[in-house]
């Protein structure tokens, strides 16, 4: 009988995963990972961890599975929060959810507790195909909307070999139905939204807490005319319209200068003007090895949409990507994830 560590969050997905494993006869211990910001920034708003934990406790009791609450606050700060702040300071757009899985759930947690368990399970919508040589491949879930392989693309092969995704073969509607049929405490609980470690705290409040405010200028791109002041370039993203409270609008953010703390605005922001079909990708993580073929698919954000692309691997290991169609969302600092059919090959940071 395999011994499984089940990471539970208080949501319906991990609850159903736990119930399925128990039903299948595994020896299970549940773990709730308590993370850093939920206490540190509680003054900014309602913090969800106590409510999450109450649901976790109810489901573990229903499944008759022991529960351990583990503090991962230091690890989150060192491995995820620091990265997020440094990326914002450079004027780039971070994606901390990409690192949560590799650095915490299948990183720090595995380092501390992995030796006691055969597998570490989560409620992700993804599938693992185990190979005869002991390796593993990451395969898309059949639910194209909920598929989470994008967020798992930076995992190492060794981490994937230790991972288990009990609901990865299911559609979301079937997961919800399973929870209702088995009267799980989380059956009617809404799915959580937003960045993993922030809970209900807004990203702007998080940035303000760590970087403060820094007065800078709004400049009209076409004329160089000064339009007003802002509280810091790091509060703005390209294409943003909301939150730009300048007379004579609507104004769109069309550029940033991190060194000068300048945000460039334009009346005539057009998606086509900022679309790209060529870009580089660095800091690559190939789950197995670099692909031998050049014709692949790529995701530029979580969701069901792919781009057909060709890639060229550069001498330094970075990749040049050529899309068949332009996309406005080619955002430096975000992640591009590559696919060959149903299989996720890995990904890297858009340059």
């Amino acid at each position: 009988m395999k011994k499984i560590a089940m990471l539970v969050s208080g949501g319906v997905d991990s609850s159903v995963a736990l119930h399925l494993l128990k039903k299948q006869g595994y020896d299970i211990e549940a773990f709730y990972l308590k993370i850093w910001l939920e206490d540190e920034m509680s003054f900014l708003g309602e913090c969800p961890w106590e409510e999450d934990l109450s649901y976790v406790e109810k489901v573990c009791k229903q499944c008759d599975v022991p529960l351990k609450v583990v503090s991962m606050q230091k690890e989150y700060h060192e491995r995820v929060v620091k990265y997020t702040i440094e990326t914002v300071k450079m004027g780039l757009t971070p994606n901390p959810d990409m690192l949560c899985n590799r650095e915490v759930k299948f990183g720090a947690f595995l380092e501390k507790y992995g030796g006691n368990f055969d597998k570490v399970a989560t409620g992700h919508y993804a599938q693992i195909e185990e190979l005869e040589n002991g390796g593993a491949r990451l395969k898309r879930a059949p639910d194209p909307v909920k598929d989470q392989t994008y967020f798992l693309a930076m995992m190492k092969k060794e981490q994937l070999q230790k991972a288990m995704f009990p609901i990865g073969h299911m559609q979301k509607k079937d997961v919800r139905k399973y929870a209702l049929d088995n009267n799980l405490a989380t059956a009617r609980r809404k799915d959580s939204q937003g960045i993993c470690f922030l809970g209900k705290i807004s990203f702007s409040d998080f940035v303000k807490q760590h970087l403060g405010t820094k007065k800078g200028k709004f400049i009209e791109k076409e004329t160089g005319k000064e339009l007003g002041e802002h509280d810091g370039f790091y509060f703005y993203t390209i294409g943003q319209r909301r939150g730009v409270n300048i007379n004579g609008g609507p104004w769109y953010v069309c550029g940033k200068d991190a060194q000068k703390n300048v945000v460039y605005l334009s009346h005539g922001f057009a998606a086509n003007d900022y679309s790209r079909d060529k870009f580089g990708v660095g800091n690559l993580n190939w789950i197995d090895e670099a692909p031998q073929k050049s014709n692949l698919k790529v995701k530029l954000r979580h969701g069901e949409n792919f781009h057909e692309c060709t890639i060229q691997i550069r001498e330094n290991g970075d990749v040049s990507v050529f899309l068949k169609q332009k996309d406005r969302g080619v955002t430096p600092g975000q992640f591009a994830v590559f696919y060959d059919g149903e299989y996720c090959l890995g990904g890297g940071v858009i340059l």
Side-chain angles (χ1 to χ4, degrees), residues 166-178:
I167 64 167
H169 63 290
M170 299 173 72
Q171 299 277 342
K172 176 70 181 196
K173 60 182 175 61
D174 296 325
V175 168
R176 188 68 72 176
K177 184 177 184 302
Y178 183 99

Side-chain angles (χ1 to χ4, degrees), residues 63-239:
C63 296
D64 192 25
V65 169
L67 170 66
K68 183 177 286 186
V69 178
V70 175
S71 173
M72 286 279 159
Q73 293 160 310
K74 182 181 176 185
E75 290 82 359
Y76 257 94
H77 183 251
E78 289 297 316
R79 303 189 189 198
V80 180
V81 177
K82 261 188 184 176
Y83 144 81
T84 304
I85 292 298
E86 290 305 314
T87 303
V88 169
K89 282 167 71 174
M90 290 189 289
L92 302 175
T93 304
N95 191 335
D97 288 330
M98 298 295 289
L99 295 190
C100 286
N101 295 306
R102 186 181 77 186
E103 298 297 336
V104 181
K105 292 174 184 173
F106 295 100
F109 179 82
L110 261 183
E111 292 159 19
K112 281 189 173 184
Y113 298 96
N116 301 326
F117 297 92
D118 296 298
K119 296 280 185 181
V120 174
T122 66
H124 282 100
Y125 287 86
Q127 300 183 87
I128 296 173
E129 189 175 290
E130 296 186 350
L131 306 177
E132 289 183 6
N133 63 4
R137 300 175 78 185
L138 183 59
K139 190 176 179 182
R140 287 162 51 198
D143 189 326
V145 176
K146 296 302 293 184
D147 172 61
Q148 291 173 301
T149 51
Y150 178 87
F151 292 122
L152 299 166
M154 299 305 286
M155 283 177 62
K156 302 297 183 186
K157 179 169 63 175
E158 303 75 33
Q159 295 175 319
L160 204 58
Q161 290 167 349
K162 193 85 172 182
M164 193 177 192
F165 305 131
I167 64 167
H169 63 290
M170 299 173 72
Q171 299 277 342
K172 176 70 181 196
K173 60 182 175 61
D174 296 325
V175 168
R176 188 68 72 176
K177 184 177 184 302
Y178 183 99
L180 289 165
D181 290 347
N182 288 278
N183 201 31
L184 295 180
T186 54
R188 290 182 172 82
R189 197 178 187 207
K190 290 183 179 179
D191 292 339
S192 61
Q193 301 291 328
I195 294 171
C196 56
F197 63 77
L198 291 182
K200 296 176 183 177
I201 299 166
S202 77
F203 189 69
S204 291
D205 284 340
F206 162 75
V207 171
K208 186 175 181 179
Q209 171 69 8
H210 286 85
L211 297 181
T213 58
K214 184 181 178 184
K215 292 294 182 184
K217 295 177 182 178
F218 282 123
I219 302 288
E220 185 172 14
K221 184 183 179 185
E222 292 81 2
T223 65
K225 179 183 175 184
E226 185 177 333
L227 300 171
E229 281 191 333
H230 58 75
D231 288 331
F233 72 90
Y234 34 77
F235 290 112
Y236 299 90
T237 57
I238 305 299

Side-chain angles (χ1 to χ4, degrees), residues 25-41:
Y26 289 105
D27 179 10
I28 313 161
E29 186 170 351
F31 290 84
Y32 177 79
L33 306 188
K34 189 168 180 295
I35 58 174
W36 181 70
L37 288 180
E38 296 173 328
D39 288 334
E40 183 78 9
M41 298 179 71

